[in-house]
Amino acid sequence: MRNRLTILKLGGSVVTEKNKPLTPNIKAIKRLAEEIHKADFKPLIVIHGGGSYGHPLAKKHNISSGLKDYSQRFGFSETHEAMVNLNSLIIRTFLEHEIPAFSFAPSSFIITEKGRIRIFNLKTLMMALEIDLIPVLYGDVVFDNKLGFTILSGDQIAAFLAVELGARRIIMGIDVDGVYDSDPKRNPSAQLIPELSLRDLEKLIGKIGGSQAPDVTGGMMGKMLELKAAVKHGIDVLIVNGLLPDNIYKALIGEKVVGTRIRR
Ligand code: ATP
Ligand code: IP8
């Protein structure tokens, strides 16, 4: 049976300035903390993306396609370290706003195989939820059975956790109002799609674009592919603009908000 659990993915395009390397969007992080505190929703798991912390370094050191040369070990660690820094900033801000957030580093308890999650120790996460902590995970570098290492997106983690834990919904905050019929940053006449069924989603995949900023996990197309699996399992998805004040608050408390709803 589906429980109340909500998975909230805060996109890297919201929590960082995606086109300026290693630049957080402090204003957005603080406002999001206020909104999450005000919504007081539980159980909740928060996942954030890499934005200008993870993606440029992952790209520079070619981490996604795996270990080819031992010199990449430094880039692997540097990419992780950048994500740890972004995560600490977010955790510190959440704690300052009285959100009982607790950081989980994906690379220390998830193993992938050719980029797909194979081992995920859910026990500690569930123990955190039991005492009303809000686990905060993030897109990270991970060890991979076949590739040595790779990049795991926050989107894949969000869909995986939603399915495994029987979540009711996934809310995603990105830097545009939802899913459009084409990239709204490239095409000014792109139309927002308010509702998508699983069939519509399948048709749309392939037509939509990636990301204009450095993004090693496939941008909007990668996101849709990951979400498909969750929607197939009956999990509702809501994609909203996380840069607009109160959108995440409204989404959390179930108030109407402009965005794209995806349902089976
Ligand atoms: P991160 O992976 O760093 O967490 P994110 O999840 O915030 O990032 P992106 O992967 O950058 O978000 O995806 C959002 C971007 O996708 C938007 O900035 C937009 O320009 C681009 N995009 C491409 N095609 C579309 C589309 N059809 N509809 C909406 N946005 C699209
Ligand atoms: O931003 C990617 O996670 P995403 C994380 O959720 C890294 O796709 C390290 C690039």
Side-chain angles (χ1 to χ4, degrees):
M1 234 216 337
R2 214 144 283 302
N3 59 39
R4 257 172 65 87
L5 175 68
T6 293
I7 313 274
L8 172 64
K9 159 92 195 288
L10 301 174
S13 62
V14 176
V15 294
T16 75
E17 306 267 353
K18 208 157 167 174
N19 285 306
K20 294 185 202 152
L22 300 174
T23 310
N25 186 339
I26 306 267
K27 212 173 125 202
I29 296 171
K30 283 191 179 156
R31 182 185 41 75
L32 288 165
E34 281 163 23
E35 293 185 28
I36 293 168
H37 175 68
K38 189 163 65 153
D40 193 22
F41 186 93
K42 55 186 190 223
L44 180 68
I45 296 177
V46 176
I47 299 164
H48 64 81
S52 66
Y53 277 72
H55 289 283
L57 284 166
K59 196 170 175 182
K60 178 176 167 200
H61 300 286
N62 197 17
I63 305 299
S64 299
S65 50
L67 175 66
K68 305 254 164 50
D69 184 309
Y70 259 36
S71 64
Q72 282 174 293
R73 288 172 305 160
F74 292 95
F76 178 68
S77 184
E78 267 175 41
T79 310
H80 174 63
E81 202 244 350
M83 288 309 300
V84 168
N85 286 338
L86 175 61
N87 180 254
S88 311
L89 180 63
I90 291 174
I91 295 282
R92 204 178 329 119
T93 311
F94 280 13
L95 291 174
E96 281 163 10
H97 286 78
E98 292 172 39
I99 299 166
F102 189 85
S103 168
F104 280 84
S107 48
S108 57
F109 64 102
I110 301 174
I111 296 171
T112 55
E113 188 166 310
K114 291 193 185 153
R116 307 307 302 170
I117 295 173
R118 279 290 163 264
I119 296 173
F120 194 131
N121 185 349
L122 290 166
K123 186 69 189 154
T124 47
L125 210 110
M126 283 165 74
M127 287 176 83
L129 288 174
E130 272 162 28
I131 57 167
D132 289 340
L133 281 169
I134 298 184
V136 181
L137 290 75
Y138 47 90
D140 198 3
V141 301
V142 281
F143 294 97
D144 187 287
N145 279 337
K146 295 277 192 290
L147 302 172
F149 55 54
T150 190
I151 296 292
L152 174 62
S153 74
D155 297 333
Q156 188 182 152
I157 299 176
F160 179 91
L161 278 179
V163 172
E164 287 298 310
L165 301 179
R168 179 154 65 94
R169 56 185 182 156
I170 299 174
I171 298 171
M172 290 204 159
I174 58 171
D175 65 341
V176 293
D177 284 351
V179 183
Y180 288 72
D181 55 3
S182 64
D183 186 347
K185 288 195 184 150
R186 287 172 201 263
N187 176 6
S189 54
Q191 296 289 313
L192 180 68
I193 309 173
E195 302 266 347
L196 278 172
S197 66
L198 181 60
R199 271 177 75 110
D200 300 333
L201 180 65
E202 279 164 347
K203 278 191 230 153
L204 197 70
I205 291 171
K207 279 209 283 177
I208 52 185
S211 172
Q212 286 197 23
D215 193 313
V216 298
T217 51
M220 182 51 72
M221 163 86 111
K223 199 178 295 306
M224 293 297 112
L225 284 167
E226 296 300 348
L227 289 174
K228 195 174 95 173
V231 176
K232 262 189 182 163
H233 279 82
I235 294 149
D236 291 350
V237 174
L238 175 60
I239 303 179
V240 299
N241 191 332
L243 287 175
L244 295 184
D246 272 348
N247 269 359
I248 294 296
Y249 168 69
K250 285 184 188 157
L252 282 170
I253 64 164
E255 235 179 65
K256 205 169 157 36
V257 48
V258 171
T260 300
R261 274 165 197 77
I262 315 176
R263 287 196 191 102
R264 189 165 54 184

